[in-house]
Amino acid sequence: MLGDTGLVVDAMRKASRFLQRDYFELEHLQASGSKTSSFCQKACTKVMHTLHDELKRYYQTIIFSSDEVKSTNFSGKAALVETLDGLGNLERALPFFAIMVTIISNKDGEIVADKAIINLPALNEIYYAEKGRGAWVERHSSNISGASRVRVSGAQSEQDAVVSGGREQMGKAFKSFKNVRFFDSYTYALTLLVSGKIDALMLETRMISLAGIQLLLLEAGGSTHEKDGLLIASNFKLHDKIKQLLL
């Protein structure tokens, strides 16, 4: 990864380091029946503050809300932050939660995504894409380390496609496909898509991460289509077929 991507990754790791500890602590709390929502909200706030302090060293503009994306004027580069997607999973000690950071540039009034990084703290995985350099995953475990290139699947049949989506899209997905998965974390589902483990993803458009999603899919050999607040992502072979079913 390029130097400034490494700086963002380091900031995300610092912000999420305590989440690994909290995740294992929450596993033990499940049996006690204790309410964990307040605990996790505090964790989310801590992630946001730590990320802000770390990223502020490199980027003057840091945006944490979809509502602020269009209304914030900036020059040079800015960081878009999805603070903690999959918070409900963290509350139940499920490992499908993530932090996503997209670095965008304002080039003569055109907003362009330069980098997109997703950190899955409980799984010790970081997915990232740099414009023109492909999409990659770094796994850190007892027997796996280093970066590997990732690409979308080569699936061609929409009937056999494995599809995921947001909560609001599940009804439409079940009507159109027989292999549907729901993870309650669109960023986790996105990592499965760019690594070829699922074949299509549909979700509500979120401005805080739209540019990053599009960059990750492009660099992983996939395609996206956004219309009326719905984003559809898949490989190129399935894209038109899935659009016809869903739009």
Side-chain angles (χ1 to χ4, degrees):
M1 63 179 71
L2 295 177
D4 48 347
T5 303
L7 295 175
V8 176
V9 168
D10 288 344
M12 295 172 77
R13 282 182 173 146
K14 184 173 182 179
S16 64
R17 192 172 297 141
F18 72 94
L19 283 176
Q20 293 176 318
R21 177 202 64 205
D22 290 351
Y23 168 71
F24 290 114
E25 186 173 338
L26 284 163
E27 281 191 312
H28 296 295
L29 287 175
Q30 300 307 313
S32 69
S34 301
K35 292 185 177 180
T36 58
S37 57
S38 177
F39 180 89
C40 292
Q41 285 293 343
K42 290 179 181 178
C44 184
T45 301
K46 186 175 180 180
V47 168
M48 184 176 68
H49 289 163
T50 305
L51 270 176
H52 179 272
D53 292 344
E54 291 297 313
L55 293 174
K56 200 69 176 178
R57 298 162 60 187
Y58 315 114
Y59 305 101
Q60 185 174 357
T61 303
I62 304 170
I63 301 172
F64 289 91
S65 165
S66 289
D67 294 335
E68 297 177 13
V69 174
K70 288 187 176 181
S71 61
T72 301
N73 295 318
F74 70 96
S75 58
K77 295 186 177 183
L80 308 181
V81 182
E82 178 70 273
T83 307
L84 193 51
D85 172 52
L87 186 62
N89 288 332
L90 176 60
E91 290 178 5
R92 297 308 302 264
L94 297 171
F96 314 125
F97 57 91
I99 303 166
M100 182 173 181
V101 175
T102 305
I103 304 303
I104 57 175
S105 297
N106 187 337
K107 298 180 179 178
D108 299 322
E110 181 183 3
I111 304 302
V112 178
D114 296 324
K115 310 175 196 316
I117 305 105
I118 297 175
N119 180 12
L120 299 163
L123 299 177
N124 284 314
E125 295 179 349
I126 291 181
Y127 289 77
Y128 64 93
E130 298 166 320
K131 190 174 182 181
R133 293 178 176 268
W136 301 80
V137 59
E138 283 194 4
R139 296 184 175 94
H140 297 273
S141 65
S142 58
N143 57 354
I144 301 175
S145 62
S148 302
R149 188 82 178 260
V150 292
R151 293 190 65 83
V152 296
S153 77
Q156 300 184 44
S157 169
E158 69 275 21
Q159 298 304 318
D160 296 326
V162 179
V163 178
S164 183
R167 191 181 302 273
E168 296 79 7
Q169 291 76 43
M170 283 295 96
K172 185 177 289 188
F174 278 112
K175 289 180 181 178
S176 303
F177 304 96
K178 62 182 181 181
N179 298 314
V180 179
R181 307 289 187 272
F182 178 61
F183 303 103
D184 206 18
S185 168
Y186 77 91
T187 50
Y188 175 68
L190 177 61
T191 65
L192 297 181
L193 178 62
V194 299
S195 56
K197 296 175 182 177
I198 64 174
D199 305 307
L201 174 63
M202 54 181 180
L203 49 93
E204 180 183 348
T205 301
R206 293 175 60 84
M207 295 307 298
I208 198 70
S209 56
L210 176 61
I213 292 172
Q214 291 172 328
L215 177 62
L216 275 162
L217 261 294
L218 177 65
E219 295 297 331
S223 178
T224 60
H225 178 78
E226 195 267 332
K227 182 180 179 181
D228 298 330
L230 179 66
L231 179 69
I232 297 173
S234 68
N235 64 34
F236 279 97
K237 295 176 182 178
L238 285 174
H239 199 70
D240 288 339
K241 299 175 183 178
I242 290 177
K243 278 199 304 182
Q244 290 175 4
L245 287 171
L246 297 177
L247 297 179

